[in-house]
Structure formats: C-alpha cells, structure tokens
Amino acid sequence: MQSQPVFLMCPPEYFDVSYIINPWMQGNVRRIDNALAKQQWRALYDVLGDHATVRLVLPQPGSPDMVFTANAGLVAGRRFLASRFRYPERQYEEPYFAEWFRDRGYEVSLMPRHVPFEGAGDALLDRGAARLWFAHGHRSVPGAAATLEAVSGREVVPLRLTDQRFYHLDTCFCPLDGGHLLYYPAAFDGPSRREIERRVASARRVAVGEEDALAFACNAIAVGRRVIVNRATAGLVEALGRRGFEVLQTPLTEFMKAGGSAKCLTLRLDEP
Ligand code: ARG
C-alpha cells in the first residue's frame, strides 16, 4: 500500500490582516471575520484529512500570517531549508518553523540573512521530472537559486513573476501528478513563459484565464489525482477532469483577504 501524503498546517488562532505586504491585503486590515476564517480553515483541514495526514505547528501571537505554512521553507527528503522572509513582519515566523523541523529530526539549513527566500511559496518540485521550479520578482531573489540547487539536488528552473497580484509562484503555478501543470501564463514574463512551454508538453499544460487565476484556482493542493482549491470555473473543472483530475472546492474567502488560499495554507512534508 502506498503511504499517505503528509502536510503541515497552522491553526488560524492569531490569523488577521494587520499590515499590508501584498495587494490583496489592501483595504482588508482588521476586516477578517474570525469565526468564518476558523470555519473555512477547519473545512480545508477536514477535506485534506480525508486524503492525507495533516500535522500541526503551534500558532504564535504576533505572527498573523503564520497560517500560510507554505512559506516556511523548502522540504527535500529529511532536509529543510528555512525561509528568509522579505518583510520584517513575517521574519518572526522563521525560528518557530526552523524549531518545528529541528525537533522532528530534520537537517535544517538557513538561507543567508540577506537572501530573501519564501519557501514553497516560490519553490515547487515538479511532480513528473527531477526539477525545482523557482520564482523571483516579488519576494524571493534570483541569488537563492544556488543554495536551492545544493539542498534539493535538483535542476533549478528560475522564472520571473511580473504581476503584483501573483507575488508568489504558488499563486499562479501548480505542478500536478504525472508532470501535468496548472498555471496562469500572464503572471510570468515572456522568457519564463517560453521556458515553461519548452519543458512541459502542451498536452500536459492547463492554462487558466483571469477569472480562475483571481479566484486562486492555481493555489491548489495536489493530492494524487485530487486537486483542492478555493473555487474553479466549470471550464477548468472539465479541463482537469479530461486529464484525470478531480477538483474539490472549499471556500477560503477570509484567507484571500490576506493574499492566500488552499495551497498556501499547507506545506507538503513527504517530498522526495
Ligand atoms: N499575507 C501573506 C504574505 O503576503 C500571504 C502569503 C500567502 N502564501 C503563499 N504561499 N502564497 O506573505
């Protein structure tokens, strides 16, 4: 029997929008409905728990964005490369995540202090080939690539993000099982789009339009043939269905006010 995938989540105890570090947060400071946020997070936890094992990290007061565990760092086997957040508001999270991994026997390394790198928000393993997709342009910097290559032992493919609304790679790009790819081409510059097209055959690429992109459809949790998202249009559900993927939708509107959705709220722990 194949073992279940494992993910890390952080309860939304202290979740809020208390500063603005991406365009989604604009106008949403202290506008979170806490009861609804808890209910939406719990629903995601339950759906994910039907198909995977979910582990938890203790939330910390003063770190309202810690719910977005995807940004903790990069997991590769038993190695964990801890993030260096671009904005001071999120740098408080760094030691808590590093400690969680250290306590569980991971070999923890740190990106140099002056090299912003936001973990699985910007670095995503391909699910078909031995490569790591890595985006810069808003949060992480190109200089992080060399360390990523050393830690992951994989070829790193740098991509440049150009649209402020899609400030992390996982807001617009999701590798799926079997080398398929769900993505929003308009979030990348021309050379990066060509790089993606050169490496992923057109039959395996599912390009979404603006409506799906803005509903965070690319911020998807891939669990085998299941794809968990906030929301997806009928056209997207069908396009993924034709390729053998089942879409599970669970609303995460409160977290979108902070600029995150399904995938950002999780970090895959059983990465090869
Ligand atoms: N407010 C958080 C930030 O701007 C949201 C992070 C979302 N995470 C992600 N992996 N896209 O840092």
Side-chain angles (χ1 to χ4, degrees):
M1 203 184 95
Q2 235 195 329
S3 60
Q4 277 210 342
V6 189
F7 291 86
L8 179 67
M9 291 182 73
C10 176
E13 214 49 45
Y14 305 105
F15 170 64
D16 202 353
V17 174
S18 25
Y19 45 77
I20 298 167
I21 55 172
N22 71 54
W24 300 83
M25 299 172 103
Q26 207 85 244
N28 283 322
V29 171
R30 313 264 175 239
R31 287 274 169 80
I32 299 298
D33 177 335
N34 290 99
L36 183 57
K38 285 191 175 130
Q39 189 188 313
Q40 293 182 339
W41 184 92
R42 180 68 206 211
L44 176 68
Y45 175 88
D46 287 343
V47 191
L48 188 57
D50 286 342
H51 312 287
T53 300
V54 184
R55 302 206 189 290
L56 298 176
V57 56
L58 201 67
Q60 296 296 328
S63 284
D65 273 333
M66 199 174 163
V67 281
F68 299 112
T69 52
N71 296 122
L74 175 79
V75 181
R78 294 298 293 171
R79 307 182 76 180
F80 177 70
L81 175 63
S83 290
R84 291 298 198 182
F85 285 91
R86 171 170 294 262
Y87 298 110
E89 289 88 339
R90 292 202 66 184
Q91 289 170 3
Y92 299 106
E93 300 171 34
E94 295 171 6
Y96 297 110
F97 284 123
E99 187 185 82
W100 191 94
F101 283 89
R102 211 172 280 122
D103 285 351
R104 281 151 189 85
Y106 283 79
E107 185 191 321
V108 176
S109 46
L110 304 170
M111 194 53 97
R113 171 78 280 162
H114 60 280
V115 181
F117 165 65
E118 300 203 351
D122 277 333
L124 298 172
L125 287 174
D126 196 278
R127 306 244 163 247
R131 71 168 73 99
L132 182 70
W133 300 96
F134 167 59
H136 54 86
H138 303 300
R139 298 292 182 87
S140 303
V141 297
T147 309
L148 288 175
E149 203 152 271
V151 172
S152 72
R154 293 187 177 61
E155 175 203 16
V156 172
V157 184
L159 302 171
R160 187 175 171 75
L161 297 170
T162 53
D163 183 329
Q164 295 281 357
R165 298 169 301 175
F166 304 99
Y167 58 93
H168 276 142
L169 183 60
D170 70 1
T171 62
C172 53
F173 187 98
C174 179
L176 300 175
D177 271 41
H180 291 267
L181 174 68
L182 173 64
Y183 77 127
Y184 178 52
F188 299 87
D189 71 2
S192 302
R193 275 202 298 273
R194 285 189 287 281
E195 197 59 32
I196 295 167
E197 289 159 10
R198 200 165 70 75
R199 287 162 192 270
V200 183
S202 70
R204 292 188 189 272
R205 270 185 265 130
V206 182
V208 310
E210 196 177 30
E211 184 183 351
D212 275 311
L214 289 174
F216 271 59
C218 296
N219 195 244
I221 312 175
V223 198
R225 288 276 153 181
R226 297 190 180 84
V227 176
I228 306 173
V229 291
N230 163 63
R231 190 153 57 75
T233 58
L236 177 56
V237 171
E238 203 211 291
L240 285 169
R242 277 199 303 274
R243 291 167 172 87
F245 292 97
E246 181 194 359
V247 178
L248 307 178
Q249 305 185 44
T250 185
L252 292 159
T253 52
E254 293 312 294
F255 298 94
M256 288 175 64
K257 293 178 182 172
S261 177
K263 156 66 172 63
C264 314
L265 291 166
T266 68
L267 177 66
R268 181 89 184 238
L269 293 175
D270 59 321
E271 295 285 24

